[in-house]
Amino acid sequence: MSHLPIRVNTLRGDQKIDFDVYIKIADKMILYVRKGDSFEGPRLTRLKEKKLKKMFIMPEEESLYRNYVQRNITMAYDDKSGKDIQTRTEIIHGQQQSNVEEVFENPEAPESYQAAKDGASKYVQFLMNNETALQSVFHIENTDRSLSHHGVSVATLSVGLAKRLKLEDPKVVQMMSLGALLHDFGHPEGPWNPLHPAYKQHPDIGSARVQDKKHFDQLVINIIAQHEECIDGSGFPRGLKENEMDQTVIIVSTCNAFDRYVAFEGFSRAEAGKKMMLERVGRHPLGHIQQLIELAKG
């Protein structure tokens, strides 16, 4: 009987599971955690550091897994759950990552996109209504240089920056957040590498792959296509200038540049702020950079 894949970032280290979890080694399924046991924090961290994205369950236990995920999400979004904000944020962050990966793998599936869209709406509300949530996200390190984690970080920064810039239309912020989550859809497979021949084409590749998908919103497609553009025309792939870009695209572009220093180049947030001031002023609005630096201070 074939096993069903589940995503590592939907699992928690501090909660017992009521289903068996397997890992695949050399085409064999090995029981990794038994029902009634937990992953424990360090154990789960090690799996993520090894870039293991999927584990497996038996088909007859799928409903148990889905109930487990839903319980966690419901608790995480409940302000009265009694759980600390860091635990809640980690659960929500994991679910956002899972949504991104589902769309990356199944862009043609309307249900995958809709789940990410609904999740983005809830995530925006969570960030807007919990003052310390954004700082809690900063405590979740992108240890494996994951593109989906980077997407969540850029979405988080974008929402925080939009709030500071008084961009308050819930629908617009939701679409911006979703675009930020999915912005690297066309990124080449493998480690982040700006010298990769396909790197400068990834915005075009990504937007072209979803342009004919009727379930994708146009603003999301625009963000995928334009997130590497800069206001002075020095970006790529089109060399657009500020008056040719939507305000939300400019916000995501700035946040993408900031988190790239942190997620892929190994700088601290403070160092990333200094790098932005040294290397990106004029390419992104100075006011955006200054607000991001303040935002990253906590």
Side-chain angles (χ1 to χ4, degrees):
M1 184 179 294
S2 61
H3 293 67
L4 294 177
I6 61 173
R7 295 191 180 277
V8 171
N9 50 33
T10 63
L11 301 170
R12 289 178 56 195
D14 64 336
Q15 183 171 305
K16 291 181 179 180
I17 57 173
D18 43 12
F19 46 91
D20 291 330
V21 177
Y22 299 79
I23 57 173
K24 191 174 184 179
I25 300 177
D27 293 326
K28 290 185 178 180
M29 289 294 177
I30 308 298
L31 182 60
Y32 189 75
V33 179
R34 295 180 182 275
K35 63 182 69 177
D37 290 339
S38 71
F39 281 88
E40 304 166 357
R43 196 177 190 182
L44 204 54
T45 300
R46 285 195 296 273
L47 290 176
K48 292 179 180 180
E49 287 174 348
K50 292 179 180 177
K51 300 187 179 182
L52 183 70
K53 291 186 176 181
K54 292 182 180 179
M55 302 180 80
F56 298 87
I57 60 173
M58 297 297 290
E60 62 267 24
E61 295 189 328
E62 181 180 9
S63 62
L64 295 173
Y65 164 71
R66 294 196 179 281
N67 289 340
Y68 163 88
V69 171
Q70 190 55 53
R71 282 199 309 272
N72 288 338
I73 292 296
T74 300
M75 179 275 291
Y77 278 117
D78 183 1
D79 291 330
K80 299 178 181 179
S81 66
K83 287 288 184 178
D84 63 276
I85 193 67
Q86 189 63 45
T87 297
R88 294 170 60 201
T89 301
E90 288 172 3
I91 294 167
I92 294 168
H93 189 286
Q95 187 61 38
Q96 294 300 302
Q97 269 195 266
S98 177
N99 290 344
V100 172
E101 290 166 7
E102 283 289 341
V103 176
F104 278 16
E105 291 181 15
N106 303 292
E108 68 287 339
E111 58 272 19
S112 296
Y113 181 80
Q114 189 61 48
K117 188 173 180 176
D118 293 343
S121 179
K122 289 182 180 179
Y123 191 52
V124 168
Q125 292 175 30
F126 175 70
L127 292 174
M128 291 291 195
N129 296 336
N130 294 276
E131 291 294 328
T132 58
L134 190 138
Q135 293 304 315
S136 297
V137 173
F138 288 153
H139 289 299
I140 307 172
E141 293 187 25
N142 192 350
T143 54
D144 60 351
R145 297 187 172 188
S146 157
L147 284 175
S148 60
H149 190 132
H150 170 59
V152 180
S153 297
V154 174
T156 305
L157 289 168
S158 296
V159 173
L161 181 54
K163 186 176 181 179
R164 284 174 168 254
L165 297 173
K166 310 298 184 186
L167 178 62
E168 297 172 340
D169 185 320
K171 184 68 174 177
V172 172
V173 178
Q174 177 200 12
M175 287 296 101
M176 179 194 68
S177 174
L178 181 58
L181 286 165
L182 303 177
H183 75 273
D184 268 336
F185 174 69
H187 201 284
E189 292 292 329
W192 181 82
N193 179 8
L195 300 178
H196 190 288
Y199 180 76
K200 288 208 168 183
Q201 282 74 51
H202 79 265
D204 272 348
I205 292 170
S207 57
R209 284 182 62 196
V210 298
Q211 188 66 61
D212 64 341
K213 306 291 189 293
K214 293 182 180 180
H215 51 280
F216 269 76
D217 297 275
Q218 189 58 50
L219 179 56
V220 172
I221 297 173
N222 291 349
I223 290 173
I224 293 172
Q226 300 173 15
H227 68 272
E228 296 286 1
E229 303 287 356
C230 299
I231 60 173
D232 64 349
S234 65
F236 61 88
R238 296 279 181 269
L240 301 180
K241 293 191 175 181
E242 185 169 9
N243 62 358
E244 300 173 280
M245 300 162 66
D246 186 87
Q247 181 186 8
T248 57
V249 175
I250 295 171
I251 289 172
V252 173
S253 171
T254 308
C255 296
N256 176 53
F258 183 94
D259 190 64
R260 193 161 51 211
Y261 286 124
V262 178
F264 303 118
E265 298 188 31
F267 292 101
S268 67
R269 293 191 302 279
E271 291 169 336
K274 292 176 183 177
K275 296 283 283 186
M276 290 289 287
M277 290 298 289
L278 286 171
E279 300 176 1
R280 311 294 297 195
V281 169
R283 303 183 69 187
H284 305 281
L286 176 59
H288 287 194
I289 295 173
Q290 291 172 328
Q291 292 286 4
L292 270 183
I293 290 172
E294 289 301 310
L295 200 61
K297 285 180 181 177

